[in-house]
């Protein structure tokens, strides 16, 4: 079974630029999560999707971050405009409906200069 | 609010010795806990989980102990190997509104010495 795929793996941008990350969850997994992991910390949840609907985006900085999962499969996370403090690893995870285990992708490492 | 914390940020052990990584949680209503392993450049990988109706659960070379009285859990790794070097996170599955969500601790960096 293929795991969670994410791209790109690395991204370097200047502050105030825009960036987008892509995630393809495990086939059949209805729930998808985006996490932000700052160096030296645990992952922090940004947004949770159930199929193509948002379950919780209370921790998403909506003035600059947006995410969508239009067809209930792939998802994109966008930052516009980026700030220096957005430098982090952005992790995508998915979960099937019948279990509570989240499976993580390799993450996208973002550096904002 | 909920919080999950770890006792030590780093742990070094000799190859072949046993490792113990500790974690404290604050929400007494928490009923499900998970340990994740994160190697450099990779996403967190599920190791083992435990529900609040259990005190102990064993996997292959790993054991998780849960002490609900003091709100503490630990991950024990037997005969630690170089491949066990990684950051280990405990995570608590709780509720945010009606959604079940993971809250991660800050992690313990395990280094296995030759």
């Amino acid at each position: 079974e293929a795991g969670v795929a994410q791209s790109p793996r690395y991204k370097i941008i200047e502050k105030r630029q825009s960036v987008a990350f892509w995630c393809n969850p495990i086939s059949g997994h209805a729930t998808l999560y985006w996490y932000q992991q700052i160096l030296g910390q645990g992952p922090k949840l940004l947004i949770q999707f159930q199929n193509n609907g948002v379950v919780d985006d209370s921790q998403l900085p909506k003035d600059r971050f947006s995410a969508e999962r239009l067809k209930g499969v792939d998802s994109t996370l966008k930052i516009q405009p980026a700030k220096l403090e957005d430098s982090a690893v952005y992790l995508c995870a998915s979960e099937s409906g019948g279990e509570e285990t989240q499976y993580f992708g390799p993450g996208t490492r973002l550096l904002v200069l | 609010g909920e919080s999950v914390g770890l006792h030590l940020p780093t742990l070094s052990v000799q190859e072949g010795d046993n490792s113990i990584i500790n974690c404290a949680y604050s929400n007494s209503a928490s009923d499900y806990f998970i340990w994740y392993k994160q190697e450099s450049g990779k996403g967190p990988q599920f190791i083992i989980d435990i529900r609040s109706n259990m005190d102990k659960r064993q996997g292959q070379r790993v054991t998780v102990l849960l002490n609900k009285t003091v709100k503490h859990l630990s991950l024990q790794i037997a005969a630690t190997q170089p491949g066990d070097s990684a950051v280990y996170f405990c995570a608590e599955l709780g509720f945010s509104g009606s959604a079940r969500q993971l809250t991660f601790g800050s992690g313990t960096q395990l280094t296995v010495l030759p």
Side-chain angles (χ1 to χ4, degrees):
Chain A
E1 179 182 74
V4 177
Q6 290 188 248
S7 68
R9 293 297 315 276
Y10 305 93
K11 191 73 177 179
I12 301 174
I13 61 172
E14 294 186 348
K15 60 183 179 184
R16 292 186 289 275
Q17 286 188 322
S18 303
V19 65
F21 313 126
W22 173 82
C23 172
N24 181 236
I26 293 172
S27 178
H29 281 196
T31 308
L32 184 148
Y33 306 83
W34 283 102
Y35 290 85
Q36 180 193 58
Q37 186 176 24
I38 293 172
L39 185 64
Q41 298 181 18
K44 184 187 105 174
L45 180 68
L46 292 174
I47 189 168
Q48 177 182 355
F49 290 94
Q50 180 76 17
N51 297 310
N52 61 349
V54 175
V55 174
D56 184 3
D57 63 357
S58 59
Q59 299 182 76
L60 188 73
K62 298 180 191 62
D63 57 333
R64 297 184 301 105
F65 286 66
S66 64
E68 59 184 16
R69 194 183 184 201
L70 294 177
K71 297 183 179 179
V73 181
D74 293 6
S75 177
T76 55
L77 176 69
K78 297 179 182 178
I79 308 175
Q80 181 181 9
K83 292 185 175 181
L84 298 177
E85 59 261 36
D86 298 332
S87 294
V89 176
Y90 291 85
L91 294 162
C92 178
S94 71
E95 177 189 301
S96 73
E99 58 179 307
E100 292 174 307
T101 302
Q102 294 184 24
Y103 297 88
F104 286 81
T108 296
R109 189 174 299 272
L110 174 67
L111 179 60
V112 182
L113 302 175
Chain B
E2 296 177 80
S3 69
V4 182
L6 290 167
H7 289 205
L8 291 172
T10 62
L11 175 66
S12 297
V13 298
Q14 291 293 138
E15 182 178 353
D17 288 352
N18 297 334
S19 303
I20 300 176
I21 301 171
N22 296 303
C23 180
Y25 64 95
S26 61
N27 187 354
S28 56
S30 298
D31 63 354
Y32 184 55
F33 303 89
I34 307 160
W35 282 99
Y36 281 91
K37 172 186 179 182
Q38 188 173 27
E39 296 176 273
S40 180
K42 297 183 179 180
Q45 177 187 8
F46 173 91
I47 302 174
I48 192 167
D49 59 0
I50 189 167
R51 297 197 178 273
S52 59
N53 60 353
M54 303 172 71
D55 297 324
K56 179 180 179 179
R57 189 158 190 224
Q58 286 185 292
Q60 186 177 14
R61 285 201 305 118
V62 294
T63 301
V64 56
L65 300 178
L66 176 62
N67 185 330
K68 295 179 286 294
T69 302
V70 295
K71 290 184 282 188
H72 177 273
L73 67 159
S74 66
L75 176 70
Q76 300 178 3
I77 305 173
T80 312
Q81 302 170 359
D84 295 328
S85 291
V87 178
Y88 289 81
F89 294 98
C90 63
E92 168 189 20
L93 190 65
F95 281 96
S96 176
S98 60
R100 290 272 271 176
Q101 295 174 351
L102 281 176
T103 301
F104 284 81
S106 56
T108 293
Q109 171 73 58
L110 174 66
T111 301
V112 181
L113 305 172

